[in-house]
Amino acid sequence: MSAKVLDGKKIAADYRANLAQEVEQLKAQGVTPNLTVILVGNDGASQSYVNNKKKSAEKIGMSSSIIHLDESTTEVALLEEIDKLNKDDDVHGILVQVPLPKQIDETKVLEKIAPEKDVDGFNPINIGRLYAGVETYIPCTPLGIMEILKHADIDLEGKDVAVIGRSHIVGQPVAKLLTDANATVTLLHSRSKDMDAVLKRSDVIVSAVGKPGLVTKDVVKEGAVIVDVGNTVVDGKLTGDVVYDEVSEVAGAITPVPGGVGPLTITMVLNNTLLAAKRAQK
Ligand code: GUN
């Protein structure tokens, strides 16, 4: 058996085409959704991520700008910058690229972003709202994973799902969304005992660790759906957690790296920015 490839680029392109139509409608009412991204420092990967976010926003008709601050920027200066954006009615979505330089307390920064403009969904207020089941912004990678699963021909109701990795950005929120979709979720992490036994019985595996080679053929059930969130650069190549070639022989469906979850994450930044622009009109 050869797994169905869950083509993130195609799924993202279709989703963005719909977003573009909605952006057009909003613009006809005189509102141009705006995403403003703050980048601190010169990390190469972060620079390419934020450029990609800006380009993707502009491609669907949004306006977007990058505020690029020096590596030595103080926490106070960054908080002031966020404060200005919070007060600017033309800015609908604010995203501060992480990680931040060590002199800056990330939590303070995330708490400073106005919850109604927090399109990453990283402000603790929005995290709390997610768990309380009230209007919020859901973090983009988990939202993207759920969109991909819609294309995997699997009804999550009652299914055994293993999520590997318990980060605040991916593992924990996606476990929450999967639970809401009535799956039975096991959240695995570095201290988990007998991870292999859990994986072998799972109908869906979401791996979000950043450890190439972690998920091999021998721990995957025949026909299981595999979502690979890993993105580690190995010899200049983006590499997932899943040993793709061998796992595709047994899985029912699988996401490639690159071209799987990644394009959906950016798509959901755009989705949340549009949502923020719409909510601001209410
Ligand atoms: N750094 C890596 N992923 C992300 C993300 O989704 N949002 C932000 N703000 N920074 C990141």
Side-chain angles (χ1 to χ4, degrees):
M1 181 169 154
S2 189
K4 171 180 175 179
V5 180
L6 297 167
D7 182 352
K9 276 196 211 159
K10 166 84 172 76
I11 298 167
D14 293 346
Y15 199 101
R16 288 182 204 194
N18 285 328
L19 291 178
Q21 281 183 5
E22 287 201 59
V23 170
E24 203 177 312
Q25 284 166 16
L26 213 51
K27 283 166 96 172
Q29 296 164 32
V31 179
T32 302
N34 172 275
L35 171 68
T36 298
V37 182
I38 301 182
L39 171 66
V40 186
N42 299 310
D43 177 71
S46 290
Q47 282 189 26
S48 107
Y49 288 142
V50 303
N51 288 335
N52 210 347
K53 286 169 187 169
K54 178 177 190 287
K55 263 200 286 184
S56 306
E58 287 171 347
K59 215 168 163 184
I60 63 159
M62 294 180 170
S63 68
S64 182
S65 45
I66 297 171
I67 297 175
H68 193 170
L69 303 174
D70 198 81
E71 180 81 30
S72 63
T73 300
T74 63
E75 186 179 287
V76 170
L78 176 57
L79 294 177
E80 277 173 10
E81 201 65 53
I82 295 169
D83 194 45
K84 273 192 258 168
L85 299 177
N86 284 344
K87 290 175 178 152
D88 184 343
D89 288 342
D90 292 332
V91 173
H92 301 107
I94 304 170
L95 191 152
V96 178
Q97 189 68 20
V98 293
L100 291 162
K102 57 184 182 319
Q103 74 276 15
I104 299 173
D105 179 342
E106 192 173 298
T107 305
K108 276 196 198 157
V109 170
L110 299 178
E111 282 178 330
K112 185 73 180 174
I113 299 171
E116 65 275 15
K117 298 189 179 190
D118 171 34
V119 290
D120 259 330
F122 291 170
N123 183 320
I125 289 178
N126 280 331
I127 296 172
R129 292 178 68 87
L130 171 65
Y131 287 90
V134 294
E135 186 176 287
T136 186
Y137 292 97
I138 299 171
C140 301
T141 301
L143 212 47
I145 293 168
M146 297 307 286
E147 184 59 29
I148 285 190
L149 286 174
K150 279 194 201 159
H151 296 260
D153 305 323
I154 185 169
D155 179 5
L156 290 168
E157 175 99 17
K159 294 292 192 304
D160 286 319
V161 180
V163 175
I164 320 173
R166 55 180 158 177
S167 72
H168 290 293
I169 296 183
V170 185
Q172 298 205 32
V174 83
K176 157 77 175 143
L177 300 182
L178 289 159
T179 305
D180 288 349
N182 298 325
T184 303
V185 182
T186 306
L187 185 52
L188 297 161
H189 49 78
S190 52
R191 310 285 170 87
S192 294
K193 282 189 214 151
D194 210 2
M195 183 160 127
D196 288 3
V198 176
L199 295 179
K200 280 179 193 171
R201 66 158 192 260
S202 294
D203 302 300
V204 178
I205 297 173
V206 177
S207 187
V209 178
K211 203 170 168 190
L214 183 67
V215 179
T216 52
K217 180 180 177 175
D218 52 306
V219 295
V220 173
K221 185 165 89 170
E222 184 86 28
V225 175
I226 311 296
V227 179
D228 191 351
V229 193
N231 63 345
T232 310
V233 178
V234 180
D235 298 332
K237 258 181 69 184
L238 207 58
T239 308
D241 292 345
V242 177
V243 185
Y244 185 85
D245 288 344
E246 63 171 50
V247 171
S248 352
E249 289 168 18
V250 287
I254 187 166
T255 61
V257 175
V261 175
L264 265 304
T265 295
I266 296 189
T267 303
M268 294 305 158
V269 174
L270 308 178
N271 178 79
N272 286 352
T273 302
L274 177 65
L275 202 57
K278 286 203 246 173
R279 286 176 180 170
Q281 310 314 308
K282 282 187 196 156

